Each structure stands twice: as C-alpha cells, then as structure tokens.
Amino acid sequence: MTCSILVGGAWGDEGKGKCITYLCDNDKPEIIARAGVGPNAGHSVEFNGEKYGLRLTPSGFVHTDAKLMIGAGVLVNPDVLFNEFENLKKYNVKERMCVDPRCAIINEDHMSRDKSSEHLAKKIGSTGSGCGPANSDRVLRTIELAKDVPELEEYITDVSLACNEAIDNGEDVFIEGSQGFALSLYYGSYPFVTSKDTTASTFAADVGVGPTKVDEVIDVFKAYISRVGEGPFPTEMTQEEAESKGLEEYGVVTGRRRRIGYFDMELAKESCRINGATQIALTCVDKLFDCARVQNYDDLSAETKAFIEDIQTETGVPVTIISTGPDLKDTIDLRKELL
C-alpha cells in the first residue's frame, strides 16, 4: 500500500503531466485522484504519439484499470469535464470518473466576473476560468455543489471514503496536485497567486486523506523555470536569451507565452521543506543538457550529474525521476536505488 502525492515545485508548468503519466502507467495505482484548484490549471500529456491538454481529468487516465476521482476541494466546470469525456472516449474516462458531491461548481457568472475584473485579468493575470470568483463564493457559502447538479448525478462518489477504504485495503492511491507551490495563496508570491493553497498538505485534504496515510510526496521541478502571468520572478532571463537556448513555451489553458528563468535553488529548498518532499522528479533536463532520450543515469554527462547532485545536496531530497524527453521511455527511474 502506498499513498503518493505529486506537487508542482514552482509556478506550474513543471512537467507534472509527463511525470504523472509515467508513474501511473508504471506503478498502476488502483485510484488516481485529482486535487488542486480546478480547470484553471492545464496538464499536458503525451502518450502513444498523441497529445492531450487536460484541465480536470487526472493525467494518469492512461492507466485504464484505475478509477479516476475528483476530490471535494476541486472546483468543477461540468462543460470542461464533459468535453474531456468526449476527447478521451478511447480511454473510457467517462465510465471511470467519480466526482465528490462536495465539489463546488463553476458557472458562467464566475467566468464573467473573472474576465471582467481589472484586478484579476490585468494585474494578477488570471486564466479567466472562473476559479477565483468561484472560490470566493465558496468562502461566502453561496456556491452550488456537485451533489445538486443533475447532470453529474451518475458520477457522484464519496471520494474521501473511496480513497481511505482503498488505502486500508492495501491498494495504491495516487493524488495529483495541480499548478505549483509558488502559486499558493499562503506561500506563493502574493498577490500574484492562485485562489487557494497548492501544497501537498492541502492536496491531501482536497481528496479527504489524512496526513498519517501519506507515504510519498513527489515534488516536480523543471531543469529551468517558467511562469505564466504577472508577478516576481528572481531568476527570469530575457525572451531573447530564452529563445537562444530554445526555451520557448506557451500555457496549456491560456495559450500565453511563458516567462523563462534559470533554476531557482532557494525556491526549490523552500518548496521541498513546506511540501515535506520525499522525492524530486526533474523534467526537461534534455532542454539544458545534451542528454535527449537518455535512459540510464550512467550515460549522463558529468555536467548533468553535477547539476542533479547539487539539487539533491541543497534540498536534502533524492532526485528519483529524471525526464530526458517527452516519451514515457525517456525517463530515468532511480527509486529502487535511492529509496
């Protein structure tokens, strides 16, 4: 039995989708549960030559024997969810999906308020998905819940009960966090943050699993950092410099160009400390070093190994997963050696 939580180490866009896909396809947990804010976060998944941009469906959907769940702390836009059911029909996502009755529902008014707010849309750089206004209504106790939406009736499941029963029965539960630690309402670069906490502790609460039942916290970092929207970015490089390094990226949900920066060790240390990280997954190493598609740690260059070892030394957390390309096979998995 293992209950694992995956979190983003910085401002999102760390490559969580690739890591989640690899871990769920490899480890085959019985339950894959989505935590986090809601459809304002996009996960990119590349599997069997096809690319998917997901906003509510757990990225581990490629493991077709798993039950897919959306925890009570996650905001749900039914239109987004049903659209993903259609796009992922070949994976039977609709038939496997469970939505907690306590999930709050995003409606047109929330999205309209999000997009029309000068503060949210212009200063903060909101995605316009309605999450901020919806979480505001949830705090005010005026929002509609999933249990009151007829269209969701067939998917309603007590996610907390299901996850805890699975853990107690010796089954594996994988909890997917979304966005990133530095966007946390509490610990991020306030006010340029999202509308709730985005740490491992809250992700556990999102699906109703207590801290004593969590075994592993996997903190995901890119070999460099990117950020969508406004806010401080201590290690940011110019767009010209990013382009010269081939580091040009665009947000999954917004399509906006991401700001690019160098790896921030101080942020990494803080992220590992507050999330209680037990492992680090490092992605896009091939974008900085000449190691594309390398699958064996011994085949990495001395420079690449030094970079990885520096991260381990500074954070005190082992780097167990190293991604060297978009395909699942482009992964170095050191969990057996290091854990």
Side-chain angles (χ1 to χ4, degrees), residues 128-179:
S129 57
C131 289
N135 270 328
S136 174
D137 282 357
R138 181 153 203 172
V139 171
L140 294 171
R141 279 82 97 192
T142 60
I143 201 165
E144 184 180 33
L145 299 182
K147 65 184 177 63
D148 301 315
V149 178
E151 294 83 0
L152 293 175
E153 185 177 4
E154 64 180 292
Y155 310 105
I156 295 299
T157 304
D158 187 327
V159 169
S160 173
L161 180 62
C163 287
N164 279 278
E165 286 184 343
I167 293 169
D168 292 343
N169 290 333
E171 298 178 347
D172 291 334
V173 173
F174 189 88
I175 300 171
E176 294 185 13
S178 65
Q179 296 189 301

Side-chain angles (χ1 to χ4, degrees), residues 162-219:
C163 287
N164 279 278
E165 286 184 343
I167 293 169
D168 292 343
N169 290 333
E171 298 178 347
D172 291 334
V173 173
F174 189 88
I175 300 171
E176 294 185 13
S178 65
Q179 296 189 301
F181 163 76
L183 291 171
S184 164
L185 183 62
Y186 302 151
Y187 301 105
S189 51
Y190 188 91
F192 303 99
V193 293
T194 193
S195 55
K196 64 179 279 193
D197 181 40
T198 51
T199 66
S201 301
T202 293
F203 293 153
D206 282 346
V207 300
V209 171
T212 56
K213 293 194 174 181
V214 176
D215 303 287
E216 299 288 343
V217 176
I218 305 158
D219 211 346

Side-chain angles (χ1 to χ4, degrees), residues 1-292:
M1 175 276 294
T2 302
C3 178
S4 302
I5 300 178
L6 184 137
V7 303
W11 284 286
D13 310 316
E14 301 95 353
K16 295 184 295 296
K18 156 74 188 284
C19 290
I20 294 165
T21 306
Y22 170 80
L23 291 166
C24 290
D25 185 61
N26 186 80
D27 300 353
K28 307 202 180 308
E30 279 77 12
I31 290 177
I32 305 168
R34 175 73 146 73
V37 181
N40 57 342
H43 287 180
S44 298
V45 172
E46 197 166 322
F47 188 68
N48 288 340
E50 296 181 314
K51 294 182 179 180
Y52 304 94
L54 307 175
R55 296 170 60 190
L56 279 173
T57 300
S59 299
F61 72 88
V62 298
H63 168 37
T64 53
D65 290 332
K67 293 178 182 176
L68 305 174
M69 301 192 176
I70 299 176
V74 181
L75 297 165
V76 172
N77 181 329
D79 291 340
V80 171
L81 186 63
F82 295 153
N83 184 58
E84 292 182 353
F85 286 170
E86 189 63 29
N87 292 341
L88 301 170
K89 191 179 292 185
K90 66 190 287 187
Y91 292 97
N92 296 323
V93 164
K94 178 180 178 180
E95 292 76 14
R96 297 188 284 138
M97 182 64 73
C98 304
V99 177
D100 195 278
R102 294 157 288 208
C103 288
I105 299 299
I106 294 174
N107 59 34
E108 290 293 334
D109 177 62
H110 296 133
M111 292 186 283
S112 176
R113 284 157 54 192
D114 201 353
K115 293 171 184 173
S116 63
S117 167
E118 186 77 15
H119 177 70
L120 291 176
K122 298 293 194 299
K123 180 180 178 181
I124 304 301
S126 168
T127 63
S129 57
C131 289
N135 270 328
S136 174
D137 282 357
R138 181 153 203 172
V139 171
L140 294 171
R141 279 82 97 192
T142 60
I143 201 165
E144 184 180 33
L145 299 182
K147 65 184 177 63
D148 301 315
V149 178
E151 294 83 0
L152 293 175
E153 185 177 4
E154 64 180 292
Y155 310 105
I156 295 299
T157 304
D158 187 327
V159 169
S160 173
L161 180 62
C163 287
N164 279 278
E165 286 184 343
I167 293 169
D168 292 343
N169 290 333
E171 298 178 347
D172 291 334
V173 173
F174 189 88
I175 300 171
E176 294 185 13
S178 65
Q179 296 189 301
F181 163 76
L183 291 171
S184 164
L185 183 62
Y186 302 151
Y187 301 105
S189 51
Y190 188 91
F192 303 99
V193 293
T194 193
S195 55
K196 64 179 279 193
D197 181 40
T198 51
T199 66
S201 301
T202 293
F203 293 153
D206 282 346
V207 300
V209 171
T212 56
K213 293 194 174 181
V214 176
D215 303 287
E216 299 288 343
V217 176
I218 305 158
D219 211 346
V220 184
F221 298 97
K222 264 195 307 219
Y224 55 96
I225 294 183
S226 61
R227 176 169 196 173
V228 168
E230 303 302 318
F233 195 171
T235 65
E236 185 172 11
M237 65 180 76
T238 65
Q239 286 194 349
E240 291 75 21
E241 189 173 359
E243 288 174 3
S244 72
K245 297 176 181 294
L247 304 177
E248 190 172 337
E249 297 183 357
Y250 295 87
V252 175
V253 175
T254 63
R256 289 179 295 185
R257 185 168 180 172
R258 295 173 181 158
R259 299 156 63 192
I260 304 294
Y262 298 99
F263 190 88
D264 189 331
M265 193 66 77
E266 293 305 309
L267 177 61
K269 289 193 287 187
E270 184 182 29
S271 178
C272 287
R273 172 171 54 84
I274 292 178
N275 283 300
T278 61
Q279 302 178 47
I280 287 174
L282 189 62
T283 69
C284 295
V285 179
D286 55 301
K287 297 285 187 71
L288 285 192
F289 302 97
D290 185 19
C291 61

